[in-house]
């Protein structure tokens, strides 16, 4: 559907609930926070469903936007959610009730009754911005902060290849509200907690390389995460580190969850499709960034073999 059609749906909707995905990043959280504030600005009753996995870095974007305990939605929107397996546990009841999907993942099959999916967008924030403009919402500094964080985090501070001209136009609109983009960039991309510094050291010390250093593998074991006291906020965007090594085309990061299961994060250069690697492991994502979660019975050694096999296959296919 078009932006104007999505705006028309929201204009007619009442009692709107906005959902974010598991392990919420800046894009899903910022989009939800901006859209909720914008809808309230035009007189709508709107809330964001609480997400237990929200980190301290992004929690302020949706603080104060949670629904009262007895409230029930009549219209459900998702922001930056590509598949039902990304629904938090408390959102599973809404799987069959999603009225509008706003997303930029090309792997999204269209999980809602109506779907606004634009894979060419660098961040879902760009689409939410366009919808809000179509609704006539005034772009306040509070809304701008949500959109700026969403756009900047999903594009690596606008340096990843998914950054497109519209991404920068949206960022410029944010700065025109008086937002201090430089300070936000410093907080998001430069300042490191002590646990984060230690986790980065572990990654660089233990990273392994394959195919003449074209593929890099980093593993984060739970014992090391717990030892340094790292939380989800400290691990945010850590998957980008292996790809920083000169010559690496596919950076694979495996993280052991608290329950012993393993998740994979893949970041690639223009030569390799990250989502293709992740699809072989039951996941998906974008051309340069993807992810997958392995079944509970797959331990770290097995996950290493599976992700390396998938990367090997895609790497070989890319050379044909």
């Amino acid at each position: 559907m078009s932006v104007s059609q999505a705006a028309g749906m929201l204009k007619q909707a009442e009692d709107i609930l906005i959902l974010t995905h598991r392990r919420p990043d800046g894009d899903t959280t910022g989009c939800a926070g901006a859209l909720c504030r914008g809808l309230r600005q035009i007189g709508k009753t709107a809330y964001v469903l609480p997400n237990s996995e929200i980190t301290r870095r992004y929690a302020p974007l949706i603080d104060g936007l949670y629904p009262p305990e007895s409230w029930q939605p009549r219209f459900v929107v998702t922001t930056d959610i590509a598949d039902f397996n990304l629904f938090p546990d408390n959102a599973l009841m809404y799987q069959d009730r999603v009225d509008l999907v706003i997303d930029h993942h090309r792997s999204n099959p269209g999980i809602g009754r109506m779907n606004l999916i634009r894979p060419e967008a660098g961040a879902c924030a760009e689409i939410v911005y366009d919808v809000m403009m179509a609704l006539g919402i005034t772009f306040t500094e509070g809304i701008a902060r949500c959109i700026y964080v969403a756009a900047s985090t999903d594009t690596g501070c606008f340096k990843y290849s998914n950054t497109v001209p519209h991404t920068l136009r949206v960022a410029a609109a944010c700065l025109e509200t008086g937002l201090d983009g430089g300070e936000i960039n410093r907080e998001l991309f430069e300042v490191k907690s002590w646990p984060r510094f230690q986790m980065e050291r572990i990654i660089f010390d233990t990273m392994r390389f394959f195919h003449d250093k074209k593929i890099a593998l980093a593993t984060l074991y739970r014992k090391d995460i717990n030892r340094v006291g790292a939380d989800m906020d400290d691990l945010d965007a850590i998957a980008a580190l292996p790809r920083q090594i000169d010559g690496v085309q596919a950076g694979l990061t495996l993280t052991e969850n608290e329950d012993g299961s393993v998740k994979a994060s893949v970041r690639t250069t223009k030569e390799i499709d990250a989502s293709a690697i992740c699809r072989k492991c039951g996941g998906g994502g974008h051309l340069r960034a993807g992810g997958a979660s392995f079944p509970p019975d797959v331990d770290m050694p097995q996950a290493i073999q599976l992700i390396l096999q998938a990367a090997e296959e895609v790497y070989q296919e890319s050379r044909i």
Side-chain angles (χ1 to χ4, degrees):
M1 70 186 309
S2 67
V3 166
S4 60
Q5 288 173 320
M9 285 187 71
L10 289 169
K11 194 172 292 186
Q12 297 298 318
E14 299 295 339
D15 298 327
I16 302 166
L17 181 66
I18 305 168
L19 311 183
T20 57
H21 61 63
R22 286 184 179 274
R23 297 185 292 275
D25 58 8
D27 200 16
T28 190
T29 310
C31 285
L35 184 60
C36 187
R37 289 178 172 86
L39 290 171
R40 289 183 177 187
Q41 186 186 110
I42 60 173
K44 299 294 181 181
T45 298
Y47 296 102
V48 177
L49 186 70
N51 193 320
S52 63
E53 295 182 308
I54 191 75
T55 67
R56 64 179 183 278
R57 182 183 301 255
Y58 302 126
L61 300 177
I62 54 175
D63 276 350
L65 302 180
Y66 302 131
E69 193 170 325
S70 60
W71 182 81
Q72 293 294 322
R74 288 193 282 169
F75 191 92
V76 178
V77 183
T78 66
T79 56
D80 196 46
I81 302 181
D83 207 327
F84 288 129
N85 62 13
L86 293 173
F87 275 46
D89 289 344
N90 64 337
L92 294 176
M93 69 179 75
Y94 300 111
Q95 282 187 343
D96 297 327
R97 294 185 52 192
V98 177
D99 297 288
L100 175 61
V101 167
I102 303 177
D103 190 26
H104 69 134
H105 292 88
R106 60 176 177 161
S107 60
N108 194 320
I111 61 175
R113 181 167 62 88
M114 299 299 292
N115 302 274
L116 175 56
I117 303 170
R118 284 171 38 187
E120 72 275 10
C124 187
E126 299 172 40
I127 314 170
V128 170
Y129 170 84
D130 288 345
V131 170
M132 290 194 298
M133 294 301 99
L135 285 167
I137 291 167
T138 301
F139 212 47
T140 64
E141 187 172 335
I143 291 174
R145 175 176 291 274
C146 290
I147 291 293
Y148 188 88
V149 169
S152 63
T153 53
D154 235 37
T155 59
C157 201
F158 312 107
K159 69 177 184 288
Y160 294 162
S161 60
N162 62 328
T163 304
V164 296
H166 190 50
T167 316
L168 300 179
R169 284 192 286 268
V170 170
C174 294
L175 298 181
E176 285 169 354
T177 67
L179 194 70
D180 188 344
E183 182 58 23
I184 293 176
N185 292 341
R186 189 189 72 83
E187 293 173 357
L188 290 175
F189 303 104
E190 292 184 4
V191 177
K192 303 181 193 299
S193 67
W194 183 248
R196 169 65 181 228
F197 165 72
Q198 291 176 297
M199 291 311 304
E200 289 190 9
R201 184 169 60 183
I202 290 170
I203 282 183
F204 286 123
D205 284 346
T206 61
M207 198 179 302
R208 288 185 279 167
F209 299 88
F210 306 86
H211 274 299
D212 195 27
K213 301 179 182 174
K214 296 295 191 300
I215 298 174
L217 172 69
T219 51
L220 292 177
Y221 287 87
R222 180 52 50 180
K223 61 181 178 60
D224 292 321
I225 296 172
N226 292 341
R227 175 171 55 81
V228 304
D231 58 19
M232 289 302 296
D233 193 70
D234 297 314
L235 300 178
D236 183 56
I238 207 163
L241 296 180
R243 191 178 57 180
Q244 293 178 2
I245 308 300
D246 185 29
V248 170
Q249 295 179 7
L252 319 173
T253 303
L254 296 181
T255 304
E256 185 179 19
N257 298 314
E258 291 185 4
D259 62 0
S261 63
V262 180
K263 67 174 182 177
S265 298
V266 178
R267 302 293 183 266
T268 61
T269 58
K270 62 183 180 180
E271 293 85 2
I272 298 179
D273 184 344
S275 65
I277 296 174
C278 294
R279 283 196 299 271
K280 290 178 179 292
C281 297
H286 302 291
L287 193 61
R288 303 289 170 253
S293 294
F294 293 97
D297 60 342
V298 174
D299 60 16
M300 183 65 84
Q302 293 171 313
I304 290 172
Q305 293 303 313
L306 290 171
I307 197 68
L308 283 175
Q309 180 180 342
E312 159 79 14
E313 291 173 358
V314 175
Y315 174 76
Q316 295 295 350
E317 291 166 5
S318 71
R319 303 181 69 188
I320 298 175

